[in-house]
Amino acid sequence: MADDTSSRLDDVAARNQRENPDASSCSDLTASSSSSASSAIDFLTLCRTLKTTKRTGWINNGIKGPESIADHMYRMGLMSLIVGDVPGVNRDRCVKMAIVHDIAEAIVGDIAPSDGVSKEEKSRREQAALDEMCKVLGGGTRAEEIQELWQEYEDNTSKEAKLVKDFDKVEMILQALEYEKEQGKILDSFFQSTAGKFQTDVGKAWAAEINSRRTQRPGS
């Protein structure tokens, strides 16, 4: 995993250096806030792997046709869109955060606990990947916003981050319930790993609803 990630980072960095020789980092670029068409398409092409990379947890559990990283983020975005008003929470920011929080996995892939990578090392790899992705985008305010949203989610300090963190878990156990129904699997570990870890009233309520539906299933 480490060698593959380094290789992908090197490939992205080399391509970016050829196409943006003056770029150094997201924070010190003074490019226009509107990225060029070329940079935008390069960035979106890089993000394509989010649509094709399957989530590791489902692969490890033998799920047929498992969801992609983008599938997961999309439904989290919908959760952020439909949630009722929460005092002090900016829903628009939650939507943005939901579609950014796993974006670095376009390069590093979906690193799961079973991979044996520490939380610190995972964060380091993702930060390095995000830096390169922002360079591909050409820097400027959009790249800075992506960096800011990703870091806010990682830090888990804002109300928006806490809610989106909960949606990350809610989406996972909802998907687990669906796979249990569709494929006859028993996916207890996903429910056990999230139990008691929801930070918001919304997250707790939605998780409780999912767990209630699971216990009401015939044979459960």
Side-chain angles (χ1 to χ4, degrees):
M1 177 69 76
D3 290 343
D4 183 58
T5 298
S6 297
S7 176
R8 295 175 72 179
L9 274 172
D10 289 344
D11 289 344
V12 173
R15 182 171 71 248
N16 181 63
Q17 186 60 34
R18 290 194 300 271
E19 297 172 357
N20 303 283
D22 296 326
S24 56
S25 69
C26 291
S27 59
D28 60 14
L29 284 169
T30 56
S32 168
S33 60
S34 297
S35 59
S36 69
S38 177
S39 295
I41 298 304
D42 285 344
F43 177 81
L44 293 171
T45 299
L46 178 57
C47 288
R48 174 182 177 272
T49 56
L50 295 169
K51 297 169 63 177
T52 58
T53 302
K54 306 305 181 182
R55 299 250 287 163
T56 303
W58 308 130
I59 294 174
N60 291 347
N61 279 271
I63 298 298
K64 298 176 182 178
E67 67 169 352
S68 69
I69 297 167
D71 292 331
H72 168 65
M73 292 197 295
Y74 177 72
R75 189 152 63 173
M76 284 178 62
L78 287 178
M79 290 175 176
S80 302
L81 182 65
I82 68 170
V83 69
D85 291 338
V86 178
V89 171
N90 183 324
R91 280 175 48 253
D92 290 344
R93 189 167 186 81
C94 289
V95 173
K96 292 179 180 181
M97 194 177 294
I99 62 174
V100 163
H101 83 287
D102 279 342
I103 198 169
E105 293 180 11
I107 293 177
V108 303
D110 182 23
I111 302 173
S114 59
D115 292 323
V117 178
S118 70
K119 183 177 180 181
E120 293 75 18
E121 174 60 15
K122 179 177 182 289
S123 182
R124 186 199 66 77
R125 293 184 192 181
E126 291 181 347
Q127 181 66 73
L130 192 63
D131 287 344
E132 289 302 330
M133 294 180 75
C134 287
K135 291 178 186 177
V136 170
L137 186 56
T141 57
R142 291 296 175 263
E144 291 169 0
E145 182 179 28
I146 289 171
Q147 284 271 21
E148 181 181 309
L149 287 163
W150 182 86
Q151 192 61 59
E152 183 177 332
Y153 179 84
E154 284 289 293
D155 292 342
N156 191 31
T157 52
S158 70
K159 291 184 176 180
E160 289 81 3
K162 292 181 187 299
L163 183 58
V164 178
K165 285 272 188 181
D166 275 5
F167 285 157
D168 183 49
K169 298 179 182 68
V170 167
E171 203 289 321
M172 184 179 71
I173 62 172
L174 177 56
Q175 185 64 72
L177 176 60
E178 291 164 349
Y179 285 146
E180 286 187 333
K181 291 179 178 179
E182 296 165 2
Q183 302 189 24
K185 295 284 187 178
I186 298 176
L187 301 169
D188 289 338
S189 62
F190 293 91
F191 296 91
Q192 293 167 353
S193 67
T194 57
K197 294 184 179 179
F198 295 93
Q199 307 174 85
T200 67
D201 290 341
V202 171
K204 292 172 184 176
W206 289 18
E209 175 65 21
I210 293 168
N211 278 288
S212 175
R213 295 187 181 199
R214 186 176 187 239
T215 58
Q216 292 170 11
R217 287 178 54 217
S220 60

